[in-house]
Amino acid sequence: MRAAGQEEALDFLRTAYEEALRSYKAGGLPIGAVMVENGSVIAVGHNRRVQDGDPIAHGEMDCLRKAGRRADYSGITLYTTLSPCLMCSGTIVQFGIKAIVVGEARNFSGNIDFLRQHGVDVVLLDNRECFELMARFIRERPELWYEDVGGRDHA
């Protein structure tokens, strides 16, 4: 992993998980993200679609917005609790983010292959906490989950 050592990666993922939990407790989707550069957190975010009424406010997008404009993203590692959707994956590729650490991809396989095909170093941790929080949310709020991923055909 180009990003961080395993222990450091778990610490950053823990921060993303805390963001996901914050969203869940606010009635939103439990997806969190953290941007890291040179071993330091530069932005955190979580899915805000429900809270803000914004259809593209996914966790990764919220994190990118909070980081603000940058001329270069190549030194960034993005940590996310769930495998990114196509919109977020396209944004990762568009901005040239070279490394992403994914908490889990069992509840939603996302677009890991797409990211890898476009030169992104993807590490899948298969984190139990990330998996369990998302599985709980999907059981509790399936209609909101399917809305977030663009319908049952995309889940």
Side-chain angles (χ1 to χ4, degrees):
M1 175 179 358
R2 189 180 76 129
Q6 183 74 9
E7 189 172 320
E8 190 176 17
L10 290 174
D11 287 344
F12 292 134
L13 185 64
R14 177 47 128 170
T15 302
Y17 175 81
E18 290 167 4
E19 284 293 309
L21 196 55
R22 179 175 298 148
S23 184
Y24 176 78
K25 288 178 179 178
L29 286 98
I31 303 165
V34 175
M35 284 180 67
V36 175
E37 183 174 40
N38 298 321
S40 296
V41 172
I42 59 170
V44 298
H46 58 263
N47 189 297
R48 301 191 55 82
R49 290 183 72 254
V50 173
Q51 297 92 319
D52 294 350
D54 181 348
I56 62 170
H58 286 198
E60 299 89 345
M61 303 299 251
D62 183 50
C63 189
L64 282 161
R65 280 187 181 123
K66 288 178 178 171
R69 270 183 63 197
R70 298 179 60 92
D72 182 19
Y73 291 84
S74 62
I76 296 296
T77 299
L78 182 65
Y79 292 79
T80 182
T81 56
L82 184 66
S83 182
C85 72
L86 189 55
M87 175 181 67
C88 293
S89 295
T91 302
I92 289 164
V93 170
Q94 175 73 29
F95 288 130
I97 295 172
K98 299 295 183 198
I100 181 170
V101 178
V102 176
E104 71 103 352
R106 288 187 278 159
N107 284 302
F108 180 68
S109 60
N111 293 275
I112 290 174
D113 289 340
F114 171 85
L115 290 165
R116 288 181 174 146
Q117 291 166 1
H118 287 85
V120 179
D121 178 20
V122 180
V123 175
L124 176 59
L125 295 180
D126 197 25
N127 180 270
R128 181 184 53 80
E129 287 181 307
C130 292
F131 169 76
E132 289 175 356
L133 180 59
M134 182 52 69
R136 177 179 170 188
F137 174 80
I138 293 169
R139 280 192 312 273
E140 292 172 352
R141 309 273 317 265
E143 74 292 343
L144 188 54
W145 166 245
Y146 291 121
E147 175 188 317
D148 190 69
V149 295
R152 291 183 186 271
D153 293 341
H154 296 117

